[in-house]
Amino acid sequence: PEFLAEFQKRIDREEKIEPNDPMPSGYRKTLVRQIGQHAHSEIVGMLPEGNWITRAPTLRRKIALLAKVQDEGGHGLYLYSAAETLGVSRKQMTEELLSGKAKYSSIFNYPTPTWADMGAIGWLVDGAAIMNQIPLCRCSYGPYARAMVRVCKEESFHQRQGYEIMISLAHGSPEQKEMAQDALNRWWWPSIMMFGPHDSDSTNSDQSMAWKIKRFSNDELRQKFIDATIPQAEYLGLTVPDPDLKWNPEKNDGKGGYDFGAIDWDEFWTVVKGGGKMNVDRITARQKAWDDGEWVRDAALAHAKKQTAKKASATLAAE
Amino acid sequence: PEFLAEFQKRIDREEKIEPNDPMPSGYRKTLVRQIGQHAHSEIVGMLPEGNWITRAPTLRRKIALLAKVQDEGGHGLYLYSAAETLGVSRKQMTEELLSGKAKYSSIFNYPTPTWADMGAIGWLVDGAAIMNQIPLCRCSYGPYARAMVRVCKEESFHQRQGYEIMISLAHGSPEQKEMAQDALNRWWWPSIMMFGPHDSDSTNSDQSMAWKIKRFSNDELRQKFIDATIPQAEYLGLTVPDPDLKWNPEKNDGKGGYDFGAIDWDEFWTVVKGGGKMNVDRITARQKAWDDGEWVRDAALAHAKKQTAKKASATLAAE
Amino acid sequence: MGNDVLFETLLRLADNHLILGHRLSEWCGHAPMLEEDLAMPNIALDLIGQSRALYAYAAEIENQGRSEDDLAFLRLEKDYHNILMVERPNGDFGHTMLRQFLFSSFMVLFWERAQNSTDKVLSGIAGKAFKESQYHVRHTAEWIIRLGDGTEESHKRMTAATAALAPYIGELFEADAVDQSAISAGIIPRASDLRGAWETQVRSVYAEATLEPILDHQAQTGGRIGQHTEDMGFLLAQLQYVQRTYPNMTW
Amino acid sequence: MGNDVLFETLLRLADNHLILGHRLSEWCGHAPMLEEDLAMPNIALDLIGQSRALYAYAAEIENQGRSEDDLAFLRLEKDYHNILMVERPNGDFGHTMLRQFLFSSFMVLFWERAQNSTDKVLSGIAGKAFKESQYHVRHTAEWIIRLGDGTEESHKRMTAATAALAPYIGELFEADAVDQSAISAGIIPRASDLRGAWETQVRSVYAEATLEPILDHQAQTGGRIGQHTEDMGFLLAQLQYVQRTYPNMTW
């Protein structure tokens, strides 16, 4: 209890907690879960966009998409490394992902049937992710905060890139415009749900706030996202699929903001619990990559051991 | 020797040899090799055309192509059955195909890059096959002769179907006409080579002739094929890729026929010996089907055994 | 009921059959044994043949100058209204057989009743398709039993196939507003009325196959309104290849 | 030498890089380890980037109003003039690495000399590509060694890959009349001149990897004049999907 109070003081002084610092086991556990989940989301998140790499419509778009998906892999790598500083291995985390014990962001269980989804994901999904992630750059745990600084920089580039795809489509042919609208229709609500349950239903939030792992509530971030995104949709000339959406000058302490319709939490929970269109396919794809790659990882290990043994005997001979 | 003379007399009287009849081991061996090779050709022959089933341009063409490839499987089945009457199992023959010990028609080692190849194969490859096969309907070995009667009936249907594809293309758009010409360019010489080496270089031919397994020489059949096919090419308005092709009124005992250019036997032997563009892919595809199917065949066998055991114990219990 | 309901009804049926026929045709030349290199194309031919009759009739009903091939080959992904089950990748032979068994067990009941359709053309198509489906059920049921009650490995694979296909069962029995209209007009039978008979049939085969039935899994849906899984785009890339690459030609 | 030789030369180079980049990009998200999910797209990005520069320049040289994307996406199969090696399916990770190693070991020598091309644009492209290729060789060579001299299984797989790719080596060193013209004009180096250095490099890596080199197998050719293996059509069906389905649009 004394230690806990001391720890809280450090947090309150905005000191960064580092890997070798003493920390409450709850703090460590929360971080391992959250960073792991975040890393898994990056990795699984490669799949819905990876789906269009071989079918991208131009060389420029193909290069940008490939680079983007690669960046996501890079984010996964930073984040796994941050989690490893808390004493959990990448292999262990991967196995938890594959067994279903560890979660990843539910948004990646929606399919990407059209090219416009590459725009919508960048614009909306990355947009929502950035809202969530910018505060994490000031997270109390140092390695996570530093990883997030790098992630956020790249994410906002991705978001612009996605929005730019939307512009091309929305200002393109009628077929392209329809494709863009259809993508917005499908991605709008899932993006809104990315901020998680309403504050009133959110568990563990208070403790995370106190520990400064989390700095804004789900509903605060959601509102910020909606307020930022609606003008962008208007610029595109697309219709946000929410009939209850309305400007409310009273909101945000009189600065104004948007009222929006009720979120279908049944759908949210269905997808979280494995009922999304792509849940099974996503894990199957990851499992297949893992299984197919086993011989490669084994061989790399075996080769490294041989090299070490060779060096050792060379050193011995030289002595 | 007395037996051999007696056997030859039966052959000369045009009697059919049946599975349980005594026969010289050379006769049996020749037939096993030839029928097996013929069966393998049907099976491997499913692949180049199977390549277009999922991409056929219309429903009518897709149905016809699928039915055709299925027929080839059916021919394989008749022929394996005919070979089995000579005491060799399908499994054994399949293993010989996969190991490379048994051959199949070299023509199937050419790729099918365009839809026009579905026309050219039907027209030229099936056309050449029919030339080869019609005499086999009168082959001295009964089961083979009877199998060939069924095969030939279907093959001539396939040939008409292929030619009909060529007509659609040759009388279609400039792109289609070019596609048809390109296919003719690629399939002409390989089809000509399907009749095998020149009589002067052909081994084993005399004995096969005497035994009435074979009834015409390679060169006779080749000439018949060319004479029948050139007018068809003319009707299509396509150019046969042989600058030396010329009507010769002296040929065929004064009935006239076509002179044609020198055959590139180096290419022929290269492909026979495994150097065709698709040799490795063909065997790899068959090997994969065989390997992937092993658990199915094993299960079918295991289930059949269980059923037999059940029936036996039921019978026992009833006694 | 307007022609648009009949058109949409025919299209959904046609798409189911074309896409499943397409998947099945992918096996041609790669089956575990020669007999199945004949049997699978046989079923595929029936399915694609049925789709052709349905597209031809749909084109006629639509009366906008589109042909059966325009409908089959020249729509966007979201305009294909097949159920998700039929577009799923083949998986292993057991998975393919089970998918076909589940689908054909439904269709045999559907076609049987559709013989009494108020639409005479559809009832004619149903008569032929009913007979064909009976063979599809028989052939695939035999394989489910053989593989379920075969070796340890085959049992394991069939158990996996059972689980993998379970989410795609519910969509068979769905009915949206379009279906409701078609049902009310007596064009097609009510799918939910067929569920009892379907389950009896399927349970008896699963039992003989020593497989645990999973028939009430939460359903994946959306196919009817063109919301597909990611495999669909790749299937269409092949299906439409020639028509898209060489537009407006006769083949 | 006419512009047509330069155009065709650029196109062949561009096609090689696009198609191999495409194949490599198929791995993205499916690699054996996260590090390779970064490394393979890295190489793919270099290759596709090189192809883009080459197509853009080829379009300029052709001067017929075609864009880099028209060249990359809107030709018929027979008009893609890449060598066969680059279109071969990925196989397992070892096969993919070996293909890349064989190709990049050639390209590094090619680009090194092409820096002195009489064509200034190409020599500029070569300068950048040379540096990139050095990394490709280094990265893939490390894997060949690791996998060749790893476990028994990895050695077996690499031996199989060695045999599978052997027939596609010869085409790297071919030169037809077009190539000859381009060589005579000093646009590109003579491929056959590079064979010695290439073999030395490859043999030394194979040796360290304890792999038996098969470098003089009878060559499969035809890619240069658009005669492809059957895998190419399926690759193009994906590559061209959007452009063919929605013609004449801006993306």
Side-chain angles (χ1 to χ4, degrees):
Chain A
E2 202 173 324
F3 163 65
L4 278 181
E6 206 50 54
F7 184 77
Q8 191 60 49
K9 274 188 205 151
R10 286 193 62 189
I11 298 275
D12 293 342
R13 285 195 303 268
E14 298 284 337
E15 278 180 32
K16 287 278 177 269
I17 310 301
E18 295 299 333
N20 295 324
D21 295 350
M23 60 186 90
S25 74
Y27 180 84
R28 182 187 299 271
K29 236 171 86 181
T30 302
L31 276 168
V32 165
R33 192 176 45 75
Q34 180 171 333
I35 303 175
Q37 193 165 319
H38 195 159
H40 298 326
S41 299
E42 297 284 357
I43 299 309
V44 176
M46 297 174 81
L47 299 172
E49 288 174 288
N51 188 41
W52 279 90
I53 292 171
T54 59
R55 294 179 294 173
T58 68
L59 291 173
R60 183 169 80 93
R61 294 291 184 203
K62 189 186 280 284
I63 287 169
L65 179 62
L66 184 52
K68 186 194 167 182
V69 178
Q70 186 198 31
D71 281 348
E72 286 159 9
H75 299 173
L77 203 55
Y78 309 155
L79 288 161
Y80 282 129
S81 301
E84 281 174 326
T85 63
L86 294 161
V88 29
S89 75
R90 204 205 297 180
K91 183 160 185 286
Q92 191 182 332
M93 287 185 276
T94 302
E95 282 162 358
E96 286 181 5
L97 169 67
L98 297 178
S99 73
K101 202 186 148 196
K103 296 278 174 226
Y104 57 90
S105 179
S106 234
I107 194 84
F108 300 119
N109 293 317
Y110 290 88
T112 54
T114 76
W115 170 252
D117 294 326
M118 300 304 99
I121 288 181
W123 174 35
L124 301 173
V125 176
D126 291 346
I130 292 167
M131 282 293 170
N132 269 326
Q133 290 168 2
I134 283 180
L136 289 173
C137 297
R138 295 188 293 129
C139 164
S140 60
Y141 187 61
Y144 190 25
R146 289 188 291 272
M148 290 319 296
V149 171
R150 298 176 68 179
V151 169
C152 280
K153 223 161 57 188
E154 293 178 2
E155 289 285 20
S156 65
F157 177 71
H158 295 163
Q159 204 234 350
R160 276 202 305 281
Q161 190 173 288
Y163 190 63
E164 207 242 296
I165 291 176
M166 293 305 283
I167 292 176
S168 295
L169 297 174
H171 298 172
S173 73
E175 293 94 326
Q176 287 174 309
K177 197 161 184 169
E178 193 189 332
M179 195 192 273
Q181 179 65 56
D182 168 64
L184 173 56
N185 293 348
R186 287 181 289 103
W187 291 99
W188 177 256
W189 287 108
S191 302
I192 298 299
M193 296 183 203
M194 279 177 72
F195 297 93
H198 286 307
D199 297 348
S200 50
D201 304 320
S202 185
T203 51
N204 308 326
S205 265
D206 292 349
Q207 182 59 76
S208 281
M209 289 278 218
W211 277 335
K212 297 196 176 165
I213 294 173
K214 203 171 163 153
R215 294 196 176 244
F216 295 96
S217 80
N218 295 353
D219 285 330
E220 283 170 331
L221 291 168
R222 187 171 5 245
Q223 186 66 48
K224 270 178 84 152
F225 173 71
I226 291 174
D227 293 344
T229 308
I230 299 299
Q232 296 168 352
E234 284 169 355
Y235 175 75
L236 293 173
L238 300 178
T239 308
V240 172
D242 178 357
D244 297 327
L245 199 74
K246 209 176 63 198
W247 177 255
N248 177 347
E250 312 287 307
K251 252 193 171 165
N252 297 328
D253 305 322
K255 280 178 292 195
Y258 286 90
D259 287 337
F260 53 94
I263 295 172
D264 181 356
W265 292 111
D266 285 351
E267 182 188 322
F268 178 76
W269 290 113
T270 298
V271 178
V272 168
K273 286 174 182 159
K277 202 163 252 155
M278 301 302 293
N279 295 61
V280 174
D281 290 16
R282 297 290 181 239
I283 291 299
T284 303
R286 290 309 311 161
Q287 182 77 56
K288 183 172 188 309
W290 185 247
D291 294 345
D292 288 355
E294 191 176 13
W295 73 273
V296 177
R297 298 188 301 273
D298 288 350
L301 203 65
H303 181 77
K305 275 188 194 155
K306 282 187 196 176
Q307 292 304 100
T308 314
K310 260 188 210 160
K311 262 182 220 150
S313 69
T315 313
L316 214 62
E319 272 167 11
Chain B
E2 202 174 324
F3 162 66
L4 277 181
E6 205 52 53
F7 183 79
Q8 190 61 49
K9 274 189 204 151
R10 285 195 62 189
I11 297 275
D12 292 342
R13 285 194 305 268
E14 297 284 337
E15 278 179 33
K16 286 279 177 270
I17 311 300
E18 294 300 332
N20 294 324
D21 294 351
M23 60 185 89
S25 74
Y27 180 82
R28 181 186 300 270
K29 235 171 87 179
T30 301
L31 276 168
V32 164
R33 190 176 48 76
Q34 179 170 334
I35 303 176
Q37 193 165 321
H38 194 160
H40 297 325
S41 298
E42 297 284 356
I43 299 308
V44 177
M46 297 174 82
L47 298 173
E49 288 174 288
N51 187 42
W52 280 90
I53 291 172
T54 60
R55 295 179 294 173
T58 68
L59 292 173
R60 183 168 82 91
R61 294 290 183 204
K62 189 186 280 283
I63 288 170
L65 179 61
L66 184 52
K68 186 194 166 180
V69 178
Q70 185 198 30
D71 281 348
E72 285 159 10
H75 299 172
L77 203 57
Y78 310 155
L79 288 162
Y80 282 128
S81 301
E84 281 174 326
T85 63
L86 293 161
V88 27
S89 75
R90 204 205 295 177
K91 181 160 187 287
Q92 190 181 332
M93 285 184 278
T94 302
E95 282 163 357
E96 286 181 5
L97 169 66
L98 297 178
S99 73
K101 200 185 149 196
K103 296 278 174 224
Y104 57 90
S105 179
S106 233
I107 193 85
F108 301 119
N109 293 317
Y110 291 88
T112 55
T114 76
W115 170 252
D117 295 325
M118 300 304 100
I121 288 181
W123 172 37
L124 299 174
V125 177
D126 291 346
I130 292 167
M131 283 293 169
N132 269 327
Q133 290 168 3
I134 284 180
L136 288 173
C137 298
R138 296 187 292 128
C139 163
S140 61
Y141 186 60
Y144 191 26
R146 288 188 292 272
M148 289 318 297
V149 171
R150 298 176 68 179
V151 168
C152 280
K153 223 160 59 189
E154 294 178 1
E155 290 284 21
S156 64
F157 176 72
H158 296 162
Q159 203 234 350
R160 277 202 304 282
Q161 189 174 287
Y163 190 62
E164 208 242 296
I165 291 177
M166 293 304 284
I167 292 177
S168 295
L169 297 174
H171 298 171
S173 73
E175 292 95 327
Q176 288 174 309
K177 198 161 181 170
E178 193 189 333
M179 194 192 276
Q181 180 65 55
D182 168 64
L184 172 57
N185 292 348
R186 286 182 289 103
W187 290 98
W188 176 257
W189 286 108
S191 302
I192 298 298
M193 295 182 202
M194 280 177 72
F195 298 93
H198 286 306
D199 297 348
S200 50
D201 305 319
S202 184
T203 49
N204 307 329
S205 265
D206 292 350
Q207 182 60 74
S208 282
M209 289 279 218
W211 276 335
K212 296 194 177 166
I213 295 174
K214 199 170 169 156
R215 291 190 177 253
F216 294 96
S217 80
N218 294 354
D219 284 330
E220 282 169 334
L221 291 167
R222 183 166 13 239
Q223 186 67 47
K224 269 177 86 153
F225 172 73
I226 292 174
D227 292 344
T229 308
I230 299 301
Q232 295 168 353
E234 283 169 356
Y235 175 75
L236 293 173
L238 299 177
T239 307
V240 172
D242 177 358
D244 297 326
L245 199 73
K246 210 177 62 197
W247 177 254
N248 176 349
E250 313 287 306
K251 249 192 173 164
N252 298 327
D253 304 323
K255 280 179 293 201
Y258 285 90
D259 288 336
F260 53 94
I263 295 173
D264 181 356
W265 292 110
D266 285 349
E267 181 188 324
F268 178 76
W269 289 112
T270 298
V271 179
V272 168
K273 286 175 183 159
K277 203 163 251 158
M278 300 302 292
N279 295 61
V280 173
D281 290 15
R282 297 292 180 235
I283 291 298
T284 304
R286 291 308 311 160
Q287 183 78 54
K288 183 171 188 313
W290 185 248
D291 294 345
D292 288 355
E294 190 175 16
W295 72 275
V296 176
R297 297 189 301 275
D298 288 350
L301 203 66
H303 181 77
K305 274 188 193 155
K306 283 187 196 176
Q307 292 304 100
T308 313
K310 261 189 209 161
K311 262 182 217 150
S313 67
T315 314
L316 214 61
E319 271 168 10
Chain C
M1 188 216 66
N3 268 351
D4 45 349
V5 165
L6 177 56
F7 175 73
E8 175 65 21
T9 301
L10 294 168
L11 210 58
R12 290 177 179 186
L13 274 170
D15 287 345
N16 282 346
H17 286 79
L18 174 63
I19 301 301
L20 186 54
H22 180 106
R23 280 286 183 231
L24 212 49
S25 79
E26 292 173 355
W27 274 102
C28 189
H30 308 277
M33 58 189 70
L34 194 41
E35 286 75 6
E36 286 306 305
D37 260 330
L38 304 182
M40 284 193 283
N42 242 341
I43 301 178
L45 281 166
D46 287 344
L47 298 174
I48 299 174
Q50 289 156 17
S51 83
R52 193 178 170 200
L54 291 160
Y55 284 127
Y57 183 37
E60 192 188 317
I61 291 296
E62 189 190 35
N63 198 20
Q64 298 282 327
R66 287 206 283 183
S67 69
E68 61 182 44
D69 289 321
D70 291 336
L71 292 177
F73 293 92
L74 288 170
R75 284 176 292 148
L76 298 177
E77 175 174 330
K78 69 183 171 51
D79 300 324
Y80 284 82
H81 290 173
N82 54 277
I83 56 172
L84 303 177
M85 179 191 279
V86 300
E87 78 196 35
R88 298 299 296 165
N90 284 331
D92 65 21
F93 177 76
H95 185 275
T96 297
M97 285 294 114
L98 186 62
R99 181 184 59 193
Q100 191 64 46
F101 171 67
L102 296 171
F103 179 79
S104 292
S105 298
F106 173 79
M107 286 314 301
V108 79
L109 298 166
F110 180 96
W111 290 127
E112 184 178 29
R113 304 222 185 166
Q115 292 178 105
N116 304 319
S117 171
T118 52
D119 185 283
K120 289 307 147 209
V121 179
L122 187 60
S123 97
I125 294 172
K128 184 160 180 288
F130 172 55
K131 283 191 205 80
E132 291 171 347
S133 305
Q134 288 178 307
Y135 161 71
H136 305 169
V137 172
R138 205 162 52 239
H139 184 77
T140 54
E142 279 167 11
W143 273 113
I144 308 314
I145 293 165
R146 248 179 240 132
L147 298 176
D149 186 24
T151 61
E152 203 176 312
E153 184 184 359
S154 73
H155 184 80
K156 209 178 103 192
R157 283 173 179 260
M158 291 311 290
T159 302
T162 306
L165 286 162
Y168 303 101
I169 289 173
E171 204 181 9
L172 282 168
F173 299 100
E174 264 187 2
D176 65 4
V178 173
D179 295 314
Q180 295 294 358
S181 301
I183 293 162
S184 304
I187 297 172
I188 53 168
R190 185 182 305 278
S192 57
D193 290 350
L194 311 177
R195 182 140 200 165
W198 181 85
E199 281 210 21
T200 306
Q201 155 80 359
V202 170
R203 277 182 197 283
S204 112
V205 170
Y206 273 52
E208 204 178 336
T210 71
L211 290 170
E212 205 60 56
I214 319 179
L215 305 181
D216 52 358
H217 193 283
Q218 185 182 42
Q220 288 294 340
T221 72
R224 269 180 179 70
I225 52 169
Q227 296 186 344
H228 297 282
T229 61
E230 286 173 4
D231 300 296
M232 187 68 178
F234 296 92
L235 185 154
L236 292 180
Q238 286 187 34
L239 179 73
Q240 303 186 336
Y241 180 64
V242 176
Q243 286 278 356
R244 294 288 189 199
T245 306
Y246 305 88
N248 304 315
M249 299 186 193
T250 306
W251 299 95
Chain D
M1 189 215 67
N3 268 349
D4 46 350
V5 165
L6 178 56
F7 176 72
E8 174 66 20
T9 301
L10 294 169
L11 209 59
R12 289 176 181 186
L13 273 170
D15 288 345
N16 282 347
H17 286 80
L18 174 63
I19 301 301
L20 186 55
H22 180 105
R23 280 286 183 231
L24 212 50
S25 79
E26 292 173 357
W27 273 102
C28 188
H30 309 277
M33 58 189 70
L34 195 41
E35 286 75 5
E36 286 306 306
D37 261 329
L38 304 181
M40 283 193 285
N42 242 343
I43 301 177
L45 280 166
D46 287 345
L47 297 175
I48 300 174
Q50 289 156 16
S51 83
R52 193 176 170 203
L54 292 159
Y55 284 128
Y57 184 38
E60 191 188 319
I61 291 297
E62 190 192 34
N63 198 21
Q64 298 282 324
R66 287 205 283 184
S67 69
E68 61 181 43
D69 290 321
D70 292 336
L71 292 178
F73 294 92
L74 290 170
R75 284 175 293 148
L76 299 176
E77 176 175 329
K78 67 183 173 47
D79 300 324
Y80 284 82
H81 291 173
N82 54 278
I83 56 172
L84 303 177
M85 178 191 280
V86 300
E87 76 196 36
R88 297 300 295 165
N90 284 331
D92 64 21
F93 178 76
H95 184 276
T96 297
M97 284 295 114
L98 186 60
R99 181 184 58 194
Q100 191 64 46
F101 171 68
L102 296 172
F103 179 79
S104 292
S105 298
F106 173 79
M107 287 313 302
V108 80
L109 298 166
F110 181 95
W111 290 128
E112 184 177 27
R113 304 222 186 164
Q115 293 179 108
N116 303 320
S117 172
T118 53
D119 185 284
K120 288 307 146 210
V121 179
L122 187 61
S123 97
I125 293 171
K128 183 159 181 286
F130 172 55
K131 283 191 206 77
E132 291 170 346
S133 305
Q134 287 178 308
Y135 161 72
H136 305 168
V137 171
R138 205 163 52 238
H139 183 78
T140 53
E142 279 168 11
W143 272 112
I144 307 315
I145 293 165
R146 249 179 238 131
L147 298 175
D149 186 23
T151 61
E152 203 176 313
E153 185 186 359
S154 73
H155 184 80
K156 210 177 103 194
R157 283 175 180 260
M158 291 311 289
T159 302
T162 306
L165 286 162
Y168 303 101
I169 290 173
E171 203 180 10
L172 282 168
F173 300 98
E174 265 186 3
D176 65 5
V178 172
D179 296 313
Q180 295 294 359
S181 300
I183 293 162
S184 303
I187 297 173
I188 52 169
R190 185 181 305 280
S192 57
D193 289 350
L194 311 177
R195 182 141 201 163
W198 180 85
E199 280 209 21
T200 306
Q201 155 80 358
V202 170
R203 278 183 196 282
S204 112
V205 171
Y206 273 51
E208 204 178 337
T210 70
L211 290 169
E212 203 59 54
I214 319 179
L215 306 181
D216 52 357
H217 194 283
Q218 185 182 41
Q220 289 293 341
T221 73
R224 270 180 177 71
I225 52 167
Q227 297 187 344
H228 297 283
T229 62
E230 286 173 4
D231 300 296
M232 186 69 177
F234 296 92
L235 185 155
L236 291 181
Q238 286 187 35
L239 179 74
Q240 303 186 336
Y241 180 64
V242 175
Q243 287 277 358
R244 293 290 189 197
T245 306
Y246 304 89
N248 303 316
M249 298 183 193
T250 305
W251 300 94

